[in-house]
Amino acid sequence: MSEGVSLLGSMYAAVRALQIYPPGNDAVLGAIAECDELAKAVCTAEGGLSIWTAGHHLYVNDLRIRLDLSDYATVAAFRELIETHGIGRITVDPGVRSEDWTVFLGLLAPARTEETDAPARLLEIQEQLAQAEVTHITLAPPLPLFETGEAESSAARRTYAVSVNALKDLMSNPVMGAAIAGRRAERTVLGIVDQVLADKMSMLGMLTLRDYDDHTYVHSVNVAILSVALGEFVGFDHQQLFELGFAALFHDIGKVFIANNLLNKKGWLNDEEWRQMAQHPDFGFLMLFNVSGFPEPPYRAMIAVYEHHMKVDLSGYPRVIRRRRQGLFAKIIAIVESYDAAISEFNKEFVPASPHDVIRQLRQAEEGTYDPVLVKAFINLMGLYPVGTLVILDTGELAVVVSRSTEPDALGFPIVRLISDPTGKRLGDGPIVDLMHPDPRPGAPQRSIARSADPRRYGIKVSDFVA
Ligand SMILES: [Fe+2]
Ligand SMILES: [Fe+2]
C-alpha cells in the first residue's frame, strides 16, 4: 500500500517542518494538508486507520510497510520518532480534522532521546491532546505482546499481531448500528485460516502469549485460532473454516456494549451485573446484521454468536423457550472458548490453570455442557498436554510442550523442549525431544511426563520457548 508509505512520509515531513517553522508556515500547512487528505482516503477505503508498531515493523492497518530503499530512512525515522514518545499505536477515525493533525504532530516535534521515560511522555501527550479537544486521534503504548523487538518475527507471530490489532479496530466502534468493516474482517479471518492450515502448531503456540490488558481481543483471536484448528480436525472445508473462523472471531463482539468496569471486574458478579453480562450474545447477534461489504448478513455466524453460551442442554443463556439444538459452530466455540478463558490471565488476580488441567476439566465437564464428541475431538487435537504446558519429566527435567505428537494415538507423549537438567539447572534453549520416539541408543534416557506444573512457580515464561 503505497498510500500508507505516503501517509507516513507526510506525517514525518510535517513533524520536521514543525521543528523549524511556526504552525502557520506554508511548508507546515502543505504537509498537514497532504497528511489529512491521505489519512481520510485510507479511513474511507478501510473503515478506519491505525498505524502501529510490532517489534521493528510498522503497520498501517493490516499491512506491514515494506521498506524500499527510497522510503527506508523516512519510515524508520518515523517509527523511531513515535517510539521515543512512547507511542505504539495511533488510531485515527474518519472525523479527523486538519487542526487535529497540527496539534498532534506538533506534540511530536520536540526532540527526544530514547533514554527518557517514554510511558510518561505518552501520558503527557495524551493529556495535551485531551486539553486541545483532539478526539479523533487516539494513542496507545506498544502492544506488550510484541515489544520483543525481534528483527524478523515468524509468520505465525505476524498473523497473530495483525489479527489482534485488526480486532481492536473492528471492536472499537461501540455504536449500535455502525457498520463493521466486512472487508477487513474477512481479510483477518482468512489470514488466520491460512496460517492455521499452513502451520497449526505455531499458531497454537501463540496462545501462550498472554496479555490481560487486551484480553477481549486476544481471547477472540485465540478462539478463532482454536475453532479453525478444531474445524479442520473434524474435516471442514475452506469455506466452512472461514465461516466458523468469522463466527469465532466475533463471538464476543457484543461485549463492546458492556461497561469496562464490569468486564474487568474481579471476583463474582451480582445478579444485576450477571444479567448485563449475559446480554452480550444478543448484542453480538444484532451487531452482525450490520457488516459492510457482504451481500447479506453473515447468518451462520450470527446464530453461532447468539448460541455460544447456550450449552447443549440449553441450560445456559440466552434462555430459550422453544426446543432447539445448539448449532455446530456454537458447540465448537463453546468448547474452545472455555479452554482459552481457563488458561488465560484475564486479570491480575485470576490464577490461570495449566492447559493440561483444563483438558482434564473439559473431559469431566457436567453432562449437557458440551458436545461429548467434539470434546473428544478437541482433546485429540490438543493432546493431553497442549502446547505451552510446563511439564516435569520422570527424569526430574523440566520441559515445555512445543507440539502435539505426530502419532494420532500418542496423546500423553508430546514433543517437548527441555529447559532444565535433572538438578534444576536451566538450559536456555534446550534440545527438542519427541517423547514418543526416544533416543534408541543403549543407555539413552527414556523420558515420560510425571506431571504438569505451574510456570509461575518456577519463574518461567513458557512463551519464550514456544511462540
Ligand atoms: Fe461470550
Ligand atoms: Fe468468549
Side-chain angles (χ1 to χ4, degrees):
M1 181 169 67
S2 63
E3 244 168 17
V5 176
S6 314
L7 171 63
L8 299 174
S10 58
M11 287 172 77
Y12 191 59
V15 173
R16 294 299 298 268
L18 281 158
Q19 285 169 343
I20 313 172
Y21 307 112
N25 174 278
D26 280 350
V28 173
L29 293 176
I32 297 272
E34 193 181 302
C35 176
D36 192 40
E37 193 182 309
L38 287 165
K40 286 211 171 84
V42 177
C43 273
T44 319
E46 306 258 313
L49 164 63
S50 66
I51 298 164
W52 54 288
T53 58
H56 290 306
H57 296 295
L58 194 63
Y59 286 76
V60 174
N61 287 347
D62 307 339
L63 290 168
R64 189 166 101 198
I65 298 300
R66 295 208 176 279
L67 297 176
D68 295 331
L69 268 185
S70 59
D71 314 314
Y72 184 81
T74 313
V75 175
F78 181 79
R79 192 190 59 77
E80 254 165 54
L81 171 78
I82 62 174
E83 197 174 87
T84 61
H85 289 278
I87 300 170
R89 183 187 165 86
I90 303 165
T91 310
V92 180
D93 74 51
V96 69
R97 307 158 305 170
S98 63
E99 305 92 277
D100 298 336
W101 288 111
T102 314
V103 175
F104 168 53
L105 298 171
L107 290 169
L108 300 185
R112 287 177 51 81
T113 55
E114 278 197 51
E115 300 87 72
T116 40
D117 191 9
R121 174 63 189 156
L122 175 60
L123 288 178
E124 216 173 276
I125 297 185
Q126 284 171 321
E127 227 160 73
Q128 281 163 313
L129 287 178
Q131 270 165 24
E133 290 175 17
V134 175
T135 55
H136 301 289
I137 299 177
T138 46
L139 306 177
L143 280 175
L145 294 176
F146 306 107
E147 67 198 358
T148 47
E150 303 149 79
E152 213 32 73
S153 45
S154 69
R157 215 179 234 266
R158 211 151 54 223
T159 306
Y160 195 72
V162 164
S163 307
V164 170
N165 197 67
L167 203 64
K168 223 167 169 173
D169 284 349
L170 291 162
M171 285 180 77
S172 67
N173 200 358
V175 184
M176 189 58 100
I180 295 166
R183 271 289 121 74
R184 187 143 186 226
E186 185 180 333
R187 230 168 33 221
T188 308
V189 175
L190 286 174
I192 293 172
V193 170
D194 291 343
Q195 196 55 44
V196 169
L197 294 179
D199 185 357
K200 183 162 36 192
M201 281 305 153
S202 299
M203 276 309 256
L204 292 176
M206 294 298 115
L207 268 70
T208 59
L209 295 167
R210 306 310 319 192
D211 168 14
Y212 44 70
D213 290 333
D214 285 321
H215 171 69
T216 302
Y217 314 117
V218 170
H219 169 66
S220 301
V221 171
N222 292 349
V223 169
I225 292 170
L226 288 165
S227 296
V228 171
L230 182 51
E232 192 223 353
F233 193 80
V234 298
F236 282 17
D237 67 22
H238 196 272
Q239 176 61 26
Q240 290 169 316
L241 291 179
F242 170 74
E243 289 185 58
L244 170 63
F246 190 94
L249 193 63
F250 292 108
H251 78 283
D252 275 340
I253 192 166
K255 286 193 178 168
V256 301
F257 293 112
I258 312 280
N260 263 329
N261 55 1
L262 182 51
L263 286 179
N264 300 329
K265 186 174 170 184
K266 300 172 177 87
W268 298 107
L269 303 182
N270 65 35
D271 285 354
E272 172 54 22
E273 290 167 334
W274 179 248
R275 195 191 58 77
Q276 286 180 27
M277 191 67 119
Q279 281 180 304
H280 78 268
D282 304 78
F283 292 154
F285 174 81
L286 291 174
M287 283 179 77
L288 290 187
F289 260 115
N290 204 353
V291 179
S292 69
F294 286 6
E296 53 177 27
Y299 293 117
R300 292 195 71 182
M302 290 163 67
I303 293 168
V305 169
Y306 183 67
E307 294 177 339
H308 78 277
H309 288 294
M310 219 166 246
K311 301 190 179 170
V312 284
D313 64 3
L314 307 179
S315 65
Y317 61 88
R319 296 305 287 210
V320 282
I321 301 154
R322 206 157 356 130
R323 212 56 218 154
R324 62 186 284 149
R325 235 183 240 254
Q326 191 187 29
L328 181 57
F329 284 7
K331 284 177 176 167
I332 289 177
I333 293 171
I335 293 168
V336 306
E337 91 105 27
S338 43
Y339 174 80
D340 185 69
I343 63 167
S344 79
E345 251 169 84
F346 67 83
N347 68 45
K348 291 173 203 184
E349 318 289 295
F350 179 80
V351 179
S354 114
H356 171 62
D357 292 337
V358 182
I359 289 287
R360 231 179 9 210
Q361 288 158 18
L362 277 176
R363 254 185 169 172
Q364 293 158 358
E366 222 173 293
E367 206 181 312
T369 307
Y370 306 116
D371 181 307
V373 176
L374 286 170
V375 168
K376 228 174 151 193
F378 185 62
I379 294 170
N380 278 312
L381 164 72
M382 304 295 283
L384 291 176
Y385 301 92
V387 173
T389 310
L390 176 69
V391 292
I392 300 173
L393 304 179
D394 54 4
T395 53
E397 295 159 305
L398 280 172
V400 173
V401 177
V402 294
S403 173
R404 189 197 178 289
S405 171
T406 45
E407 312 267 325
D409 307 324
L411 290 181
F413 298 87
I415 297 169
V416 302
R417 184 189 288 283
L418 299 183
I419 63 173
S420 90
D421 71 7
T423 66
K425 196 170 140 254
R426 293 292 154 84
L427 298 175
D429 250 3
I432 300 234
V433 176
D434 183 344
L435 297 180
M436 192 60 191
H437 299 282
D439 193 332
R441 286 170 299 184
Q446 309 292 302
R447 302 176 169 98
S448 64
I449 293 176
R451 60 184 177 89
S452 69
D454 179 356
R456 282 157 317 146
R457 272 198 46 199
Y458 293 85
I460 287 166
K461 222 169 111 200
V462 287
S463 59
D464 290 348
F465 303 96
V466 177

